[in-house]
Amino acid sequence: MRVPLLDLTRQHALVKEAVADRVARLFDSQQFILGAAVEEFEVAFRDLVGGHHAVGMSSGTDAQLAILMAMRIGEGDAVVTSPYTFFATAGCIHRVGAEPVFVDVEKDTLNLDPIKLGEFLEIRCRKDAEGNLLSPGGKKIRAILPVHLFGACCRMDEIRAIAGRFGLAVIEDAAQAVGAEYRGAEGLQKAGAIGEASYFSFFPTKNLGGAGDGGMAVCRSEELAARLRLMRNHGMEQRYFHREVGGNFRLDALQAAVIHAKLPHLAAWNAARRRNAAQYLEAFRSRNLLEFLTPPVAPAPDLENSHIYHQYVIRCRDRDALLAHLQAAGIGCAIYYPVPLHLQECFASLGYRKGDCPVAESAAEDSLALPIFPELRPEEIEAVADAISGHFRK
Ligand SMILES: Cc1ncc(COP(=O)(O)O)c(C=O)c1O
């Protein structure tokens, strides 16, 4: 049986009419740039994430750029983040002129490790005469940017406590974590509502995806929200008067309409991903595969949405051989990510070496994403497990 890594046509069958309806209304209004469709979606998304400001952006990447620009993070600054994430996370930090500083991830979730983070800031960084915390490269550290990788929430209480101790902002990369939840000192919170600011991606393959690129910036303060709106529209409040240099980071009204139509299904889709993850675990157990592979770990097993399985990433021996075997068997699978960011060619000048972030480096060698999308059929999950079993028992 062939099993795709992702088949969006199955989802489309369910939402086709609702999407068509919202898109038709948008066409009737002919308001394609910002306007009611974007505003209504921003309100719905803000409510989903939990009462903060939401500003629609053209992509997750642009949402992150706009946040960094709005917080005036740039030349001479540094932002501490994970080396094991999609490139944009560090790329945006670099693009605003700041230095991405990488601290290794923890073994279980592959999220930024709060213990290593605390040690790094304590031991490897120093304060200047004005009390600013400087990176080993001499840049002023302004923020910590944890990534809720694959949809699993980071240990936010610890990260926020460290940020508080050093006077740093927390910006969440929630691109892969729409609807994920965290239970900490402030009670139950949604990913993206915990730090000072956060950003989401509506790239079509995401748990909540558009019909093209789209993103959202979320923040706690009204002042920052106003600056985000300024940044996404060329720094312009009054037409053709530019207080600052921003960009065109506006969420397309067409994307807002499509994503808004899908929003009511998100909770059920995330639940279906969770059910699929539970079936994988059972399928691996019953085939005695757990000696060969490690399934992903939910950060809080008693909290339903602590992991929303944007990707279902196993760690395994002999990853490349398994990948080749599955591909030959028609099973879709992929490597997220083959090269950790501290070892990317474009960041060579930052001076990182192999061995600097060993957990991220080993994940790059032994992680493999299996199909997990909500509409995956039970027999397809069994077929994936059979194919994995066929490989290890050859
Ligand atoms: C972790 C992470 N950060 C940032 C982004 C950037 O989002 P986008 O592709 O919408 O620009 C993505 C999405 O691909 C992502 O997975």
Side-chain angles (χ1 to χ4, degrees), residues 3-217:
V3 184
L5 182 60
L6 174 65
D7 180 0
L8 284 170
T9 63
R10 298 186 199 178
Q11 179 192 80
H12 183 59
L14 179 73
V15 296
K16 205 171 178 165
E17 280 174 25
V19 169
D21 186 45
R22 276 202 183 264
V23 169
R25 274 192 270 151
L26 179 72
F27 271 84
D28 286 343
S29 78
Q30 290 290 302
Q31 248 197 318
F32 295 119
I33 301 297
L34 298 177
V38 172
E39 282 165 25
E40 284 167 19
F41 175 54
E42 286 175 341
V43 169
F45 194 84
R46 183 203 62 194
D47 292 347
L48 173 93
V49 169
H52 293 262
H53 306 278
V55 183
M57 299 285 180
S58 37
S59 65
T61 303
D62 289 344
Q64 185 188 352
L65 265 186
I67 289 170
L68 296 171
M69 290 166 77
M71 292 174 103
R72 299 187 172 88
I73 293 176
E75 210 64 52
D77 293 333
V79 176
V80 183
T81 192
S82 161
Y84 202 63
T85 169
F86 178 59
F87 176 75
T89 313
C92 290
I93 297 168
H94 179 86
R95 280 176 65 191
V96 296
E99 179 198 14
V101 176
F102 299 109
V103 169
D104 207 2
V105 292
E106 51 184 11
K107 207 159 148 257
D108 285 351
T109 59
L110 300 179
N111 281 335
L112 190 61
D113 186 332
I115 295 172
K116 288 179 189 155
L117 175 68
E119 284 171 2
F120 174 82
L121 296 176
E122 201 77 61
I123 299 165
R124 301 276 319 279
C125 302
R126 62 191 165 81
K127 287 201 170 156
D128 67 9
E130 285 138 40
N132 298 310
L133 189 67
L134 301 182
S135 72
K139 304 287 196 268
K140 184 175 161 189
I141 302 178
R142 297 280 311 280
I144 300 170
L145 203 153
V147 182
H148 304 300
L149 193 72
F150 306 141
C153 278
C154 295
R155 285 158 58 184
M156 293 306 293
D157 276 357
E158 283 117 301
I159 291 171
R160 286 189 67 204
I162 293 165
R165 201 159 83 231
F166 291 97
L168 308 174
V170 174
I171 303 168
E172 296 168 76
D173 181 327
Q176 303 185 356
V178 60
E181 288 176 333
Y182 175 77
R183 191 165 41 220
E186 290 186 22
L188 194 64
Q189 288 172 296
K190 286 266 170 38
I194 309 168
E196 275 73 33
S198 70
Y199 53 91
F200 294 82
S201 165
F202 305 124
F203 188 78
T205 61
K206 293 290 193 282
N207 289 31
L208 183 64
D213 280 305
M216 188 69 77

